[in-house]
Amino acid sequence: MRLCVALALLLLTCSSSLAAEAVTYKGTIGKTPIILELAEANESGEFVGRYAYLSRGGDIPLHGTTNADGRLAIQEEAPCTKELCRDAKDEIVEKAPIGAEWTLRKSDDEQKLTGSWKDIKSGKTLDLKFALVASRKLPDGDGGVTLYSLDPSSVARIDDHSLITQADLPYDFLKMDVPLKKGAEVKYGDGVYRLDMDPRVEVEFPTIVRIGKTDIAPINAYLHQQRLQFSFNSFYCLSKAYLGMDWSGSGGEGGMGYDGPPSVVVNLLTPRLLGISEGGSFFCGGAYPDNFLRYQLADVKTGKPLEPETLLKGWVAKDADGKIVDPSTVEDKSDLKFGPSDELIKYVNDKRDRSDASRDEECGLSDLVTSNLGVYFTQDEMIFTLKNLPHVIFACGDDLVTVPLKDARPLLTDAGARYFAVLDR
């Protein structure tokens, strides 16, 4: 339990041995809605933060100090240009350019912040008003609390198919509280969905309209947090216009990052399961783009994500020695490695198309089946594929084996089979 007694006191100094926190506020700059997250101050009263205009979404970095009278003096970074953020030797400067200054004071009940914003160049001032929303614990770090500590991707768990919640990322969930451009209704499988677009990042993501008489609130809650996780890339790239958010002067920084619009496709929609695929080519500086294709699966009734491969009978856990074990009997599961059994590897390699021998050898497909096997589901089929391929062999990621769901029972666990009506007895 924290020794700091009140939520709003997180801007005062707490013992460095305790996990740092950040507080989220919602308010206005002038009349424009914004959100604000401020991290806990260090022993010198210094802290960092971020804020975003809800109409834009990209974060703007803040650097602040707590004065002796409790007022918060904050400097807001200005967007980088080559002239502002590179020196005469064309090296990146250490100190970020400042575009505005804030002064904030807490209310007597410590639930509100009020103050002023002043533009450095023009001298224009605007009122600042905020109401406290929530706090969160920040990831542990040896270097103290920095802007990196606020990075939501340290909490996001998109690759291990688990949920993030508003308690995990209150600031980022608030960022998603904006009107979406509703798409046309599409009848698919046993239900109806829309692809609703967030105009700030031009991402179209599914919203379920109905699935018979099934309660769609849980699955739409799942899709809401999935939309947030999928939007992290674009929000991050928008924020890279600032030195504190990793500006380097590379192409793409300050934009949405995608080469063409990303793709989110509904592959499976029943009263029991929702399956979607997320794909795109993302570049926001660096050596090469991140080409990705991910398959997500969720239980419609509970809204809980499922790792598709866990529905397979041949998906096993191995310990550090390579021995197959029952994961429920292992106390420290961090040492376990999950993957296909030898029997499942043989099944896929025996069934897949081997007509292109040169491509098979060039990609090393037999080895990739062992190391990168994945599966996804459509309305009528179970499809074995390759997942998590590195950039240099991303083109090797074709589908391998397609199995009609009506014939898939021998390959599924009992729990997995119960998700498919065609296998009901």
Side-chain angles (χ1 to χ4, degrees), residues 107 158 251 290 305 341:
S107 61
I158 199 165
D290 174 21
S341 65

Side-chain angles (χ1 to χ4, degrees), residues 202-234:
E202 297 182 0
V203 170
E204 292 185 330
F205 217 85
T207 299
I208 305 304
V209 177
R210 59 183 175 274
I211 314 175
K213 296 182 179 180
T214 303
D215 179 11
I216 60 174
I219 196 62
N220 274 331
Y222 162 80
L223 286 169
H224 182 72
Q225 64 84 43
Q226 204 68 19
R227 175 192 288 275
L228 169 59
Q229 294 198 63
F230 191 77
S231 300
F232 280 152
N233 276 350
S234 289

Side-chain angles (χ1 to χ4, degrees), residues 224-379:
H224 182 72
Q225 64 84 43
Q226 204 68 19
R227 175 192 288 275
L228 169 59
Q229 294 198 63
F230 191 77
S231 300
F232 280 152
N233 276 350
S234 289
F235 288 138
Y236 161 73
C237 199
L238 288 168
S239 299
K240 284 194 73 175
Y242 299 90
L243 188 67
M245 298 295 192
D246 274 348
W247 180 88
S248 67
S250 299
E253 294 176 335
M256 286 178 285
Y258 283 101
D259 181 11
S263 172
V264 182
V265 177
V266 175
N267 300 314
L268 173 64
L269 182 57
T270 75
R272 306 179 193 183
L273 282 177
L274 169 72
I276 62 174
S277 59
E278 304 168 344
S281 180
F282 179 79
F283 179 77
C284 193
Y288 48 79
D290 174 21
N291 299 315
F292 66 93
L293 180 60
R294 297 186 293 257
Y295 294 99
Q296 312 290 354
L297 192 67
D299 185 307
V300 167
K301 291 184 179 179
T302 66
K304 292 182 178 180
L306 300 167
E307 187 171 358
E309 291 78 25
T310 60
L311 275 59
L312 298 174
K313 187 179 294 184
W315 202 251
V316 297
K318 294 182 180 180
D319 61 18
D321 297 323
K323 180 182 176 182
I324 294 177
V325 296
D326 180 352
S328 65
T329 65
V330 179
E331 184 174 348
D332 183 5
K333 294 181 174 56
S334 63
D335 291 332
L336 296 180
K337 183 177 181 180
F338 290 82
S341 65
D342 292 341
E343 292 77 12
L344 184 57
I345 293 170
K346 183 177 185 304
Y347 172 86
V348 173
N349 275 324
D350 286 348
K351 296 289 186 180
R352 66 181 176 84
D353 182 9
R354 292 173 175 266
S355 59
D356 190 344
S358 61
R359 182 177 183 277
D360 197 299
E361 182 178 356
E362 182 179 340
C363 289
L365 289 180
S366 292
D367 291 334
L368 291 177
V369 169
T370 300
S371 60
N372 294 82
L373 185 65
V375 71
Y376 69 98
F377 300 90
T378 67
Q379 290 297 119

Side-chain angles (χ1 to χ4, degrees), residues 1 3 82 169 175 206 218 224 244 254 294 311 314 379:
M1 179 178 293
L3 300 180
K82 185 176 180 180
L169 292 171
K175 188 182 290 188
H224 182 72
R294 297 186 293 257
L311 275 59
Q379 290 297 119

